[in-house]
Amino acid sequence: QEATGDYSTAGWAAVHAAWACDDQNAQEASRLCRLKAIQLFQEANGASNLSQTGAQEAFKFDPSKVPDLPEPRPMFEIFVYSPNVEGVHLRGGKVARGGLRWSDRIEDYRTEILGLLKAQMVKNAVIVPVGAKGGFVAKQAEGIECYKTFIRGLLDLTDNFIEGQIVPAHNVVRHDDDDPYLVVAADKGTATFSDIANEIAKEYNFWLSDAFASGGSSGYDHKKMGITARGAWESVKRHFREIQVNIQTQDFSVIGIGDMSGDVFGNGLLLSQHIKLLAAFNHLHIFLDPNPNPQKSWEERQRLFNLPRSTWADYNPKLISEGGGVFSRKSKSILISPEVQAMLGIQAKSLKPNELIHAILCAPVDLLWNGGIGTYVKAQTEHHAEVGDKSNDAVRVNGQDLRCKVVGEGGNLGFTQLGRIEYAQNGGRINTDALDNSGGVDCSDHEVNIKILLNAIVANGDMTNKQRNHLLAEMTEQVSELVFKNNYLQTQAISIPLSIYPQMFDLHARFIRHLEKQGQLDRELEFLPNNKILAERRAAQQGFTSPELCILLAYSKISLYQALLGSDLPEDPYFRSILENYFPTPLPTRFAEEIAQHRLHREIITTQLTNLVINRGGIAFVYMLEEETGQTAPEIVRAFMVAWEVFDIEKLCLDIEALDNQINSQVQLKMIMSARQQIERASRWLLRHHRMPLDIAKTIETLRPGVTQLADSLDGAEPEDLEKLAQQLIEAGVPSELATRVAR
């Protein structure tokens, strides 16, 4: 077809579908090619811009209707083709978002994007849209022009909102339902392209305008905010807090993947002035500093961060401790000083660069901070070929060989999931990249939804664009705080079951089987234990690892989100405050009515409720009460909200969390668990003894006075066991009033 110039969408649909199946047999590929061409356009094709005039052609199809495509299956797939560029965009749902990557994997870029989509679906469990991911390869033109062509191909197939009405894309053969929500973001190779994408959106008169691509000149600059690194640092701080170390006041040793010019690595290694960075590497250099001065090295890292396009070679050699230095990865071998030998716990006097990196990854340090690109840790049971990152095969290590106490995953895909599990089973403290670095997508989601709100106000003439941009800038730190709160609560939701794992094991095992039975979870795909392994762990009194619980947390949220969004619960007037609390404080005060009319108000309310219930109630809270009471997820959430308000659980939790680094973290977790048990008991009672559906506001109004009166009547008359518990908490450093309340 390239030879004849026939770039028909139908022909390329067939080629793409057969190629996507990753079939290596030529005859079978030919057969699939013919079958897929027929099947895609008779069954799966939702829209095609075959009749469009332009440099690109695109088609959209439903992957669930195409046999042999690898899992996971997104809801929609768009394939864009032109002589200069081709690419795919995969979406997990109608309201979905994720980055567009400039891929260098021309032979298998769909495989790359599919793997990233899988991670994005889990990461996006904390935000309004579900996961999406796109990628393109440049063939015969400059990268920016290829990006523009790819964006136009996506918008060619996307419906629009004009004067409140859905308007189908122009000159498109369309067979699917209305589908106007398309949001993109920066990714590898496209970090500075947001303004380009938004200009094209304006060219198409697309309703999202500059909310189409988050960031850019009138959006939130993630590197300046340090949003991804600061969000991941919440995980790092919690890991250390749970071993009674405050990394903001105590020195700790670090090895790193990346360099100071990078967003996540650079911002991350400036978040504490007590970091002792012993070693780091990127694709060019290896940095070694066996005995750094924390303050002076922090100042030098700050200088490099501010220096455009800095590398480790720019580090002032006078500030590197004896035996250290900066070495090229192109060197044939590197002499290892006695100081570096002691730091890495090795005896070799010289190593090849890749061998030295291997030793760095296995160094006995406090923290491994990943802010780079590539996969560096796998499981012993995995082969390098399974990892899909050939360029790092020579340096990759096994999870069981790591000697660091904590891993912070600021970057994506630094570990395989099995590598994480293996490391955790050997005592390491780690979550997942999706949980650690969700701050970036969370920030972008807030930006998009704030812009949707404010753009409507600008369109009505109640605000100028200049005023809008000024307001966006003013709210930067408030948006950051909303994001970090989500990071904090998600890590806490993992820590609680880890602290009482034998107690929660059977419940979580049943929940996994339930999700699998409902077709909402593929255990094998997510590396969750099968029934045989579950039985072995139960017998050995071994629970789920943190990386496994992170996956289960995400799927719990995905499941609850779907159940709530499909109900009438988001329409309950009681949740207006939940909707307003999503936005930074100036907005609800000034634009309460406009917020109530937000185009995604149902999705925002559902996301807020999902995060609140799962973060505070627990991973299997809704499933457990479904089992026990037979009630539906929406009714369980109604009961949760009544309990949450009647017993003022929010204030209780905030008071407990204010004691970070002041009392033993295990005491804190036990108090949070006590608050959670109060929610469980009250919700269970409501579901069993009140008529459904609960009127949330009226039930709170009815029950709150009695609960308050009961609490007041207990003053000075606590039973002996409650008084004893309160005294134990006081002796652990808990303020007297809070200790008494928790004990009750």
Side-chain angles (χ1 to χ4, degrees), residues 229-254 267-276 294 298 301 365-369 405-408 429 660-661:
R230 291 166 69 191
W233 206 248
E234 291 297 322
S235 290
V236 173
K237 288 192 295 185
R238 181 174 294 280
H239 284 312
F240 280 103
R241 193 160 61 242
E242 290 174 1
I243 55 174
Q244 315 314 316
V245 175
N246 182 353
I247 58 174
Q248 302 308 115
T249 62
Q250 297 170 252
D251 292 350
F252 63 108
S253 57
V254 181
N267 274 302
L269 290 190
L270 294 174
L271 289 174
S272 172
Q273 296 190 26
H274 291 270
I275 290 171
K276 297 177 67 175
W298 182 89
R301 291 197 303 276
V365 295
D366 295 319
L367 172 66
L368 165 57
W369 174 252
K405 295 176 183 176
V406 172
V407 171
R429 306 184 72 87
D660 283 353
N661 295 312

Side-chain angles (χ1 to χ4, degrees), residues 384-419:
H384 289 294
E386 298 175 74
V387 175
D389 178 25
K390 188 175 181 180
S391 62
N392 287 304
D393 285 355
V395 300
R396 191 174 300 115
V397 301
N398 295 329
Q400 65 184 12
D401 297 327
L402 296 184
R403 291 185 287 171
C404 55
K405 295 176 183 176
V406 172
V407 171
E409 293 201 74
N412 287 319
L413 305 178
F415 284 55
T416 67
Q417 179 67 356
L418 289 177

Side-chain angles (χ1 to χ4, degrees), residues 38 68 79 108 161 213 259 324 617:
I38 296 169
D68 304 317
F79 175 54
D108 67 341
F161 273 116
D259 59 69

Side-chain angles (χ1 to χ4, degrees), residues 115-128:
L116 292 167
L117 171 71
K118 178 173 172 287
Q120 196 73 39
M121 290 292 289
V122 173
K123 183 182 295 187
N124 280 24
V126 73
I127 66 173
V128 173

Side-chain angles (χ1 to χ4, degrees), residues 255-270:
I255 57 173
I257 302 169
D259 59 69
M260 290 307 298
S261 68
D263 170 11
V264 178
F265 185 93
N267 274 302
L269 290 190
L270 294 174

Side-chain angles (χ1 to χ4, degrees), residues 447-652:
E447 177 188 330
V448 168
N449 288 321
I450 291 169
K451 282 183 174 179
I452 290 173
L453 170 70
L454 296 182
N455 286 352
I457 295 168
V458 170
N460 288 335
D462 296 325
M463 177 185 288
T464 67
N465 205 54
K466 184 177 180 180
Q467 289 171 327
R468 185 209 73 155
N469 291 342
H470 181 71
L471 181 57
L472 280 167
E474 277 187 340
M475 297 186 297
T476 300
E477 196 54 35
Q478 292 175 61
V479 169
S480 296
E481 291 305 317
L482 290 170
V483 169
F484 301 148
K485 188 64 176 178
N486 280 336
N487 286 110
Y488 180 96
L489 291 177
Q490 286 209 126
T491 59
Q492 182 172 271
I494 298 300
S495 291
I496 290 174
L498 280 176
S499 69
I500 53 170
Y501 66 86
Q503 182 179 331
M504 306 292 289
F505 182 84
D506 286 339
L507 175 62
H508 287 154
R510 292 199 308 275
F511 185 40
I512 287 174
R513 287 191 283 267
H514 168 76
L515 290 173
E516 193 171 43
K517 186 177 180 181
Q518 297 297 314
Q520 296 178 315
L521 171 68
D522 184 329
R523 262 196 270 190
E524 184 177 0
L525 189 68
E526 296 294 354
F527 303 103
L528 289 171
N530 58 33
N531 290 337
K532 179 183 177 183
I533 294 175
L534 287 175
E536 291 171 353
R537 289 196 191 176
R538 184 182 295 107
Q541 287 286 293
Q542 295 175 344
F544 290 93
T545 64
S546 177
E548 291 166 330
L549 289 173
C550 289
I551 297 297
L552 200 53
L553 175 74
Y555 274 91
S556 175
K557 290 187 175 185
I558 291 168
S559 176
L560 181 58
Y561 178 88
Q562 292 170 349
L564 298 186
L565 191 62
S567 74
D568 63 357
L569 186 72
E571 305 302 333
D572 192 318
Y574 181 80
F575 295 125
R576 182 161 178 166
S577 62
I578 292 282
L579 173 62
E580 292 177 353
N581 289 340
Y582 172 86
F583 294 93
T585 49
L587 298 182
T589 303
R590 294 178 58 183
F591 306 114
E593 291 306 315
E594 289 85 352
I595 287 174
Q597 300 301 315
H598 194 286
R599 200 176 295 279
L600 295 180
H601 72 276
R602 296 187 87 257
E603 288 82 359
I604 294 172
I605 289 170
T606 302
T607 300
Q608 290 285 87
L609 286 174
T610 297
N611 283 324
L612 175 62
V613 172
I614 301 301
N615 287 343
R616 292 303 194 181
I619 291 172
F621 171 81
V622 173
Y623 168 70
M624 176 184 65
L625 291 181
E626 284 177 337
E627 267 193 328
E628 294 181 4
T629 69
Q631 296 291 349
T632 64
E635 292 308 326
I636 291 167
V637 171
R638 289 179 188 274
F640 173 96
M641 290 307 304
V642 172
W644 180 257
E645 293 293 342
V646 165
F647 291 96
D648 200 9
I649 301 296
E650 181 176 23
K651 184 179 186 307
L652 176 60

Side-chain angles (χ1 to χ4, degrees), residues 62-237:
D62 178 355
S64 69
K65 296 180 179 178
V66 183
D68 304 317
L69 283 179
E71 297 290 344
R73 303 285 186 96
M75 179 177 284
F76 301 116
E77 177 160 350
I78 294 177
F79 175 54
V80 177
Y81 178 83
S82 84
N84 295 327
V85 62
E86 60 185 77
V88 293
H89 189 257
L90 312 177
R91 289 164 57 204
K94 282 204 164 188
V95 178
R97 75 172 303 279
L100 301 183
R101 171 169 292 214
W102 182 353
S103 175
D104 55 7
R105 290 169 58 170
I106 194 164
E107 298 296 331
D108 67 341
Y109 63 84
R110 187 187 186 275
T111 300
E112 177 188 22
I113 302 307
L114 185 66
L116 292 167
L117 171 71
K118 178 173 172 287
Q120 196 73 39
M121 290 292 289
V122 173
K123 183 182 295 187
N124 280 24
V126 73
I127 66 173
V128 173
V130 298
K133 210 71 180 180
F136 66 94
V137 289
K139 298 191 294 186
Q140 300 180 35
E142 188 264 337
I144 290 179
E145 289 305 313
C146 291
Y147 178 77
K148 290 179 178 179
T149 300
F150 184 53
I151 290 290
R152 289 192 173 97
L154 299 180
L155 287 172
D156 281 344
L157 298 182
T158 303
D159 301 328
N160 205 355
F161 273 116
I162 298 178
E163 296 181 354
Q165 301 295 317
I166 293 283
V167 178
H170 184 58
N171 284 342
V172 168
V173 179
R174 193 185 78 151
H175 303 288
D176 64 340
D177 297 329
D178 294 339
D179 189 19
Y181 189 91
L182 178 66
V183 175
V184 301
D187 204 300
K188 177 186 174 185
T190 63
T192 60
F193 290 4
S194 291
D195 283 340
I196 297 170
N198 286 330
E199 283 303 314
I200 296 173
K202 292 175 184 177
E203 171 190 318
Y204 276 67
N205 195 30
F206 189 49
W207 71 279
L208 281 165
S209 187
D210 68 348
F212 171 59
S214 55
S217 56
S218 61
Y220 292 124
D221 186 320
H222 287 198
K223 186 172 183 179
K224 286 183 180 179
M225 295 171 72
I227 194 74
T228 304
R230 291 166 69 191
W233 206 248
E234 291 297 322
S235 290
V236 173
K237 288 192 295 185

